[in-house]
Amino acid sequence: MHSPDTGPGASSPHEAASPAATAQALRDLVVLDIATLFAGPMAATMLGDFGAEVIKVEHPAKGDPVRTHGAAKDGVGLWWKMLSRNKKAVGLYLGSQEGQAAFKRMVAEADVVIENFRPGTLERWGLGYDVLSEINPRLILARVTGFGQFGPYAKRPGFGTLAEAMSGFAAITGEPDGPPTLPPFGLADGIAALTTAYAVMTAVHAREHTGRGQVVDLAITEPILTVLGPQPTVYDQLGALQQRQGNRSSNNAPRNTYRTADGGWVAVSTSAQSIAERVMRLVGRPDLIEEPWFASGAERARHADELDEAVGAWIAERDRAEVVAAFEEAQAAVAPIYDVRDVLDDPQFRALDTITTVDDPELGPMRMQNVLFRLSETPGAITSTGPALGADTAEVLARFGVEPDAIERITKGTGEAGGPA
């Protein structure tokens, strides 16, 4: 790790006390983000949110594909603005000799490299871990791929959708008589990003004891499989397969979404026995509590039709706000089903500053998700949004000792040949 002056300096407008400027937890960490799209770059974002200096290295002409992914305003990609916040942008083609030479200079002073090329790509460029660790024995190389660095699928293209399919997630998601269902967002990528950030910090901690870096081999298929729960163990021990159940659960009931009189929706959960009893009293069916089967969550799940009918009928006669207020007064578990407009207006999210406002030099003030958690002594902060392509190339390469004439060729594109692997 390196000196504190290498990390972002200014605190977010929402961190007015300014401890983030001087005491961010990862302020002495230098991260080279050479990954594309989602899982790897998102992991780097999470590190940058808590002070790591994250240098985004991307193709000098094409950039990271996420720059043009999803919605845009005035031709500026909005996903990029969020995903690449707290990063510096360096245009560098790693397939050229000059790009590789510049990258090696950066590696010499970095702590972490995050990449997601197909296995063998860095090695083909002469940038395998054997080479990089010779330059910097303390370097941690996080390799985020669809299927890991070895095995029969290692060379396959890997995306989050494939992980959602192969992990078993899609097989258990959807209505019982409907098809397997994929999420409408990067679920597997997001879970993999969280896991990668955790893996990197585990390796950083280990380095304090060993003095050496190491390779993190993360397959996007594995973290989502882990969070799906004990399915492999249940099948191994009982031969039972989890089935699609829509919004219901095999572990408890009532557990579903219910339509309110004003056309809204709420979600009800009764994971605790006491909550289930409060719900049934609230909806005027205390008689069901006396049924022998009601004392077990699994048994209640077998009577989900009866319980859903009772809860659903009561909710259908009331507006969403009335339902939520009544459940809250009864200390029963309910949540309104929000769209993003509701999220932006919610008083709890406002109190937590869950969605914060950041100034962007191209588009002005914009709202986005804040850092993931609050630390009392070393808080995170958003200091910048995703930068323009190559915005920091000259400044960063000069800092790492790249010769001025080489910087000029790289920034003009004459030092780069070809395209990405």
Side-chain angles (χ1 to χ4, degrees):
M1 291 188 275
H2 302 278
S3 60
D5 62 1
T6 61
S11 64
S12 152
H14 298 273
E15 298 285 356
S18 79
T22 56
Q24 285 190 289
L26 306 182
R27 64 191 183 279
D28 51 354
L29 208 63
V30 177
V31 178
L32 306 182
D33 171 10
I34 64 173
T36 58
L37 293 173
F38 308 116
M42 191 182 298
T45 302
M46 293 170 185
L47 300 175
D49 282 351
F50 286 87
E53 181 185 26
V54 180
I55 300 170
K56 175 71 180 180
V57 178
E58 52 188 329
H59 190 283
K62 300 177 181 179
D64 187 324
V66 80
R67 285 183 177 273
T68 57
H69 203 95
K73 180 181 178 182
D74 299 336
V76 179
L78 298 178
W79 204 337
W80 169 261
K81 289 297 182 181
M82 182 272 257
L83 188 62
S84 293
R85 68 195 193 190
N86 292 338
K87 298 182 183 181
K88 297 178 179 178
V90 171
L92 203 63
Y93 176 52
L94 300 181
S96 71
Q97 291 185 354
E98 197 150 40
Q100 292 161 11
F103 182 67
K104 288 177 181 178
R105 285 184 174 273
M106 299 167 73
V107 163
E109 299 183 41
D111 296 284
V112 180
V113 172
I114 299 177
E115 66 101 356
N116 70 336
F117 298 107
R118 291 195 205 182
T121 300
L122 286 186
E123 286 76 8
R124 189 171 70 249
W125 288 339
L127 299 174
Y129 190 67
D130 56 338
V131 175
L132 301 184
S133 62
E134 187 72 24
I135 297 169
N136 181 356
R138 291 174 57 81
L139 183 74
I140 294 159
L141 175 63
R143 316 194 77 168
V144 185
T145 57
F147 302 101
Q149 293 296 308
F150 56 92
Y153 302 161
K155 296 294 180 71
R156 289 184 181 180
F159 298 99
T161 297
L162 308 188
E164 289 146 10
M166 294 181 67
S167 64
F169 171 84
I172 64 170
T173 305
E175 295 299 323
D177 57 351
T181 302
L182 295 167
F185 66 100
L187 177 63
D189 280 305
I191 297 171
L194 286 161
T195 309
T196 301
Y198 162 62
V200 165
M201 295 315 301
T202 300
V204 168
H205 182 74
R207 188 178 64 179
E208 297 305 307
H209 299 283
T210 66
R212 301 187 307 276
Q214 59 184 300
V215 175
V216 173
D217 176 8
L218 188 136
I220 296 174
T221 49
E222 292 181 312
I224 186 172
L225 201 160
T226 297
V227 303
L228 286 174
Q231 288 185 66
T233 306
V234 171
Y235 181 75
D236 174 69
Q237 296 296 304
L238 301 176
L241 287 173
Q242 185 171 337
Q243 303 298 315
R244 291 191 290 281
Q245 300 176 81
N247 293 319
R248 287 179 172 176
S249 167
S250 59
N251 299 314
N252 63 79
R255 192 261 198 184
N256 213 326
T257 59
Y258 305 92
R259 189 80 177 261
T260 59
D262 56 352
W265 290 87
V266 297
V268 173
S269 175
T270 57
S271 296
Q273 179 68 23
S274 60
I275 299 294
E277 294 175 5
R278 291 170 192 166
V279 169
M280 302 320 297
R281 291 191 186 98
L282 173 64
V283 303
R285 292 300 305 273
D287 56 298
L288 293 176
I289 300 173
E290 305 305 320
E291 294 288 347
W293 48 263
F294 196 88
S296 162
E299 287 297 320
R300 292 200 312 274
R302 294 186 179 96
H303 292 79
D305 287 343
E306 186 175 0
L307 294 169
D308 274 346
E309 183 179 354
V311 175
W314 186 89
I315 289 175
E317 296 176 350
R318 293 160 175 83
D319 289 349
R320 189 174 77 172
E322 182 183 355
V323 171
V324 172
F327 267 73
E328 185 173 345
E329 184 177 355
Q331 298 184 44
V334 71
I337 293 180
Y338 280 174
D339 61 25
V340 71
R341 295 168 298 183
D342 300 310
V343 171
L344 293 174
D345 289 338
D346 182 84
Q348 179 63 27
F349 290 147
R350 285 180 179 272
L352 296 176
D353 199 26
T354 302
I355 306 296
T356 195
T357 300
V358 187
D359 286 326
D360 178 73
E362 293 180 278
L363 301 178
M366 60 172 53
R367 288 188 284 184
M368 64 179 63
Q369 300 93 323
N370 209 336
V371 300
L372 281 172
F373 47 87
R374 286 160 289 280
L375 295 179
S376 63
E377 299 299 324
T378 55
I382 303 172
T383 62
S384 63
T385 55
L389 180 61
D392 305 291
T393 302
E395 178 252 316
V396 169
L397 294 185
R399 174 185 139 202
F400 285 103
V402 180
E403 296 298 326
D405 57 342
I407 293 175
E408 185 175 1
R409 288 193 299 273
I410 289 170
T411 54
K412 289 183 177 179
T414 57
E416 311 299 330

